[in-house]
Amino acid sequence: MSVLRGTVAVVTGATGNVGWGAAHAFAAAGAHVVATVRGAASDLEALLGGDQHLLVRGDLAVNGDAERVREAALARFGRVDHVVASIGSWWQKGPVVEQSPEEFRAVLDSLLTSQFLLARAMLPWMRRHGGGSYTIVTGAGGEMAIPNAG
């Protein structure tokens, strides 16, 4: 029997490669998956159908959406045991000095603000209720410079 069976995992960015893989792995191990998406997710809806899982649409860079995800998880399953924060997409629009201020703000919201708001919504609750695991997924850009990836 899997140690994850019956636990509750919030997986963000569940339509991306990493988020999809994490959601699938948690579901296959018997965990209840609360998957977050910003747009269409028909493949994910098929995977996570039924009462064992929950799909929540929203933008985690918007203040209040992370709390809404937490509250949806608590309403359905009563707890959050794991968070996989696979937020943001690959960003390659050239050198940072060639990006507009609007593009820069969009990158900050996608890759940074959303992480902050999610941690702020989930971690205090998890600490008060026995802890759990919280994983932030980054790419190679978190460890090395990638030419022309502002």
Side-chain angles (χ1 to χ4, degrees):
M1 183 164 141
S2 169
V3 296
L4 295 174
R5 182 166 305 286
T7 63
V8 179
V10 172
V11 179
T12 67
T15 55
N17 291 333
V18 174
W20 167 265
H24 189 272
F26 273 105
H32 301 290
V33 176
V34 179
T36 71
V37 297
R38 285 183 292 180
S42 58
D43 290 346
L44 194 61
E45 289 169 345
L47 170 71
L48 301 178
D51 292 337
Q52 297 300 309
H53 309 294
L54 180 62
L55 186 66
V56 181
R57 291 192 192 325
D59 184 345
L60 295 175
V62 173
N63 194 23
D65 274 13
E67 286 84 356
R68 193 169 53 77
V69 170
R70 182 194 63 221
E71 293 307 312
L74 295 176
R76 172 74 66 91
F77 303 114
R79 63 191 222 230
V80 173
D81 300 299
H82 310 285
V83 175
V84 177
S86 177
I87 303 173
S89 60
W90 171 248
W91 185 261
Q92 190 170 5
K93 287 198 172 187
V96 70
V97 295
E98 294 176 11
Q99 294 174 20
S100 71
E102 294 76 24
E103 288 173 319
F104 181 70
R105 282 187 203 95
V107 170
L108 287 180
D109 281 346
S110 175
L111 299 176
L112 185 60
T113 304
S114 57
Q115 291 283 2
F116 164 73
L117 292 173
L118 182 66
R120 190 170 152 253
M122 296 294 178
L123 287 173
W125 189 92
M126 291 173 75
R127 281 190 195 123
R128 283 193 307 272
H129 294 90
S133 68
Y134 195 104
T135 304
I136 297 175
V137 179
T138 66
E143 296 187 20
M144 68 173 125
I146 301 174
N148 296 314

